[in-house]
Amino acid sequence: MIAKLRGRVDEIGASFAILDVGGVGYRVECSARTLSALPAAGEEAGLLTEQVTQEDKTRLYGFGDESERDWFVLLLGIQGIGARMALALLGVLSPEALAQSIRADDSARLTSAPGIGTRLARRITTELKDKELPETPSDVAVSAEDGAAARKRKDAVAALIGLGYARAQAHEAVAKVLQSSEEGDGINIAELIRASLRLLAKAS
């Protein structure tokens, strides 16, 4: 399996790029977002890749970072989502925006991608709302800047999920408590969970 490529950009098409790696041209299907970030033809570029075989045809898909590749693989696991549709979603919504939409149960936002209708958008949010979503670059930044606070938020969400709440509900409640608390990230984990539970009880 080819996991990554680095070479000279030979051509950029509407939905693909061709990288010349040691004289061999690799056609790599990419999202519009990834294609727009590539340098001009003749310059060097690198892409993470994923090979997908469908109907006896193997295609190579390219991504600008691990988060985009992880989301692509996750989306392929949903019934009705093929590789092209997954790329269409990633071309319109960044990994961060996708994560926010799933956690907020905002299926309408997903319909901004070509080919994603209301029913399919609802299926995506329903199937993914209680799953561990791929880490996004912003998640990594938060963890690097304030690992203790990030762990506290994660533990609070996990505790709420353990009590029977959906992941999207738990994320939203914890975020609201942290935003409204005078202590901010300084709030202790026990009080964070209690305040989140009170918020969830009011909403039900």
Side-chain angles (χ1 to χ4, degrees), residues 109-155:
R109 191 177 186 185
L110 304 184
T111 61
S112 60
I116 304 295
T118 302
R119 183 177 298 180
L120 186 53
R122 170 51 59 188
R123 183 187 301 160
I124 294 170
T125 55
T126 299
E127 290 195 21
L128 298 184
K129 67 180 180 181
D130 291 327
K131 289 188 177 182
E132 190 69 35
L133 300 179
E135 197 171 58
T136 64
S138 62
D139 292 330
V140 174
V142 168
S143 180
E145 292 171 9
D146 193 355
R151 283 194 300 273
K152 185 189 300 180
R153 291 191 289 273
K154 184 175 181 179
D155 289 345

Side-chain angles (χ1 to χ4, degrees), residues 20-105:
D20 184 324
V21 182
V24 178
Y26 290 86
R27 179 183 170 117
V28 189
E29 308 291 325
C30 304
S31 71
R33 185 180 301 275
T34 294
L35 290 173
S36 67
L38 287 175
E43 297 184 32
E44 187 176 272
L47 289 171
L48 299 177
T49 59
E50 186 76 20
Q51 286 182 236
V52 177
T53 300
Q54 293 179 326
E55 299 178 358
D56 297 327
K57 291 183 179 179
T58 299
R59 295 182 185 273
L60 199 59
Y61 296 87
F63 312 93
D65 55 48
E66 289 185 12
S67 179
E68 187 185 25
R69 181 172 62 183
D70 290 345
W71 269 99
F72 175 78
V73 173
L74 183 65
L75 289 168
L76 286 185
I78 298 174
Q79 183 182 359
I81 298 288
R84 288 188 179 182
M85 203 168 287
L87 287 184
L89 265 170
L90 290 165
V92 172
L93 298 173
S94 67
E96 290 88 349
L98 273 171
Q100 290 168 4
S101 299
I102 300 303
R103 289 166 180 161
D105 200 20

